[in-house]
Amino acid sequence: MSVEPVTAKDYEARICPQLQLTKTEIEEISEMLLYEELSRARIRDLEEGIRAQRARGSARAVRRWTRVARWAARRAERYQNQD
């Protein structure tokens, strides 16, 4: 007994022989795909903006913690010199 791999395309071809689309249906599908592509483009733009914002926030956090570390080091040095 041998088993042949069946793709979704093969399966659909057996179930719906020769699906005939009207011009209106083709236009509707094309319009739907256009909106889908536009939404994907918007999502990509948002993701890029978020990445840039995180990079700026990360740099800001590094500067802030560097200042805090400098302050803590000066303070520790000051208290060590008092003893």
Side-chain angles (χ1 to χ4, degrees):
M1 182 167 140
S2 66
V3 177
E4 294 180 28
V6 177
T7 63
K9 194 173 185 179
D10 295 335
Y11 181 76
E12 289 171 358
R14 277 192 242 151
I15 290 181
C16 328
Q18 287 306 101
L19 183 63
Q20 296 293 320
L21 298 175
T22 64
K23 184 178 179 185
T24 306
E25 290 171 333
I26 291 172
E27 289 173 359
E28 288 174 354
I29 291 172
S30 298
E31 185 176 352
M32 181 182 68
L33 293 175
L34 176 67
Y35 285 122
E36 187 176 332
E37 185 58 35
L38 284 172
S39 67
R40 285 187 183 138
R42 286 189 192 113
I43 290 170
R44 279 192 299 271
D45 289 344
L46 287 171
E47 287 173 345
E48 288 174 15
I50 288 170
R51 267 189 237 107
Q53 187 176 9
R54 282 184 183 161
R56 284 192 306 272
S58 172
R60 194 177 317 131
V62 167
R63 287 191 305 270
R64 183 175 54 243
W65 284 111
T66 302
R67 282 194 310 267
V68 168
R70 236 183 288 136
W71 172 82
R74 284 193 309 264
R75 185 178 170 101
E77 187 178 316
R78 194 175 336 136
Y79 281 110
Q80 284 178 349
N81 290 339
Q82 284 182 354
D83 292 336

